[in-house]
Amino acid sequence: MHRQADWETRLAAYLEPLRLRPFEWGRHDCCTFSAGAVEAMTGVDPMPEFRGRYTTAIGSARALKRYGAGTLEATLDTKFERVPAALAQRGDVIMTEGLLGICLGGIAVVVGSAGERDGLLRIPRGSWVEPRAWRVPYEG
C-alpha cells in the first residue's frame, strides 16, 4: 500500500462530499472515514475486515476485539508505521482525544459534531490532545 502519484487530488475528491455527512457508526465514523481516506490516496482499503461489522459504539469495540488488535490504536499499529505526531504530514492518520482522522498539515480532519455542525470537523494542530500518528507510505 503506497500513495498514488495524484494522492492529494484523490484525497480532496474524497473529502468534499463528506463535509456535511453526519456521524454514523460503521458507515461514517472515525474508522471508516480514515480508512476511506487512505483508500482514496492508495487504492487499498486498510480496514476491510471492519466494513459492515458494527452499527453502535459497543459493536465497534467488539469488532476491534474480534477482527483487530483489541483497540483502535493497537489495530492501527498493525497496519501502519507509527510516527511522532509532531512529524505527521499531510495525508497521515492522526488520533487526538480518541478521534481518528487525517492530517492536512496544520489541522486534523475528523468526523463529529460541534454545536449545530455535524460532519467533518477541523482540529488545529495546536489543539491536538495526546496525539498519535501513523504514516501512510509513499511509493519508493
Side-chain angles (χ1 to χ4, degrees):
M1 169 177 37
H2 294 89
R3 296 184 199 203
Q4 302 290 317
D6 61 345
W7 70 268
E8 289 184 283
T9 301
R10 291 166 167 258
L11 180 58
Y14 172 73
L15 294 174
E16 181 56 32
L18 300 178
R19 288 182 323 111
L20 300 176
R21 183 174 173 190
F23 180 96
E24 183 181 357
W25 286 108
R27 294 191 178 275
H28 187 59
D29 58 27
C30 63
C31 178
T32 59
F33 164 71
S34 299
V38 171
E39 182 176 19
M41 292 184 284
T42 67
V44 176
D45 182 354
M47 306 285 251
E49 65 273 31
F50 294 97
R51 303 268 180 206
R53 303 286 185 169
Y54 62 95
T55 58
T56 65
I58 292 171
S60 72
R62 287 180 182 147
L64 284 166
K65 289 180 179 145
R66 185 168 186 182
Y67 305 106
T71 66
L72 187 53
E73 186 174 346
T75 300
L76 289 166
D77 283 337
T78 69
K79 307 230 176 224
F80 302 99
E81 173 192 358
R82 190 186 286 236
V83 296
L87 300 180
Q89 300 173 1
R90 287 180 54 82
D92 286 342
V93 177
I94 293 293
M95 183 181 282
T96 175
E97 295 184 67
L99 299 172
L100 199 60
I102 297 296
C103 179
L104 293 182
I107 63 167
V109 175
V110 300
V111 179
S113 298
E116 293 184 17
R117 179 169 168 73
D118 199 13
L120 299 185
L121 306 177
R122 302 166 143 237
I123 302 174
R125 192 180 281 254
S127 298
W128 293 355
V129 176
E130 297 181 22
R132 294 157 194 82
W134 293 268
R135 177 80 64 230
V136 177
Y138 294 90
E139 193 165 10

